[in-house]
Amino acid sequence: MEDINSFEKYVTQNWDRDIGKFSECSKKEQKKRFLERLDNPEKNWKFSAADVKERKCWDDYQSAYEKMIRNTASGHAPWVVVRGQQVVQRLLVAATGRGCANRR
């Protein structure tokens, strides 16, 4: 994680402000999306059996994401966390790096 912080500091000193963007999806929302992929024939192609296996690691992934964000957020390179189900807000932040999302 030190390498990430060093790189972001280098970028902001030499070019522009760096803002990390993280689209967060709740476990409940993810389950809803998985079920939609199974129920809707047009979305079946998005489903993979590996998704079910990976879902069992949810808590480990969340812990790793939180640790990464907590340890790499800084004044020169903050993280913007956007809930995955907030589509318009997510697109706005992705396009501009700005929005009313949670900064960490």
Side-chain angles (χ1 to χ4, degrees), residues 25-26 57:
C25 181
S26 70
C57 301

Side-chain angles (χ1 to χ4, degrees), residues 80 82 89 92-93 96-103:
V80 177
V82 181
Q89 185 179 3
L92 176 66
V93 170
T96 66
R98 296 182 180 91
C100 54
N102 300 324
R103 289 184 180 265

Side-chain angles (χ1 to χ4, degrees), residues 30-61:
Q30 185 191 53
K31 182 178 181 179
K32 178 182 151 211
R33 290 178 186 186
F34 281 173
L35 293 175
E36 285 174 359
R37 291 174 187 176
L38 292 172
D39 294 340
N40 183 342
E42 292 179 8
K43 292 186 177 185
N44 286 166
W45 67 271
K46 293 181 179 183
F47 187 79
S48 167
D51 293 338
V52 176
K53 182 180 174 187
E54 292 298 319
R55 186 170 163 78
K56 293 176 184 173
C57 301
W58 180 272
D59 293 334
D60 293 334
Y61 289 146

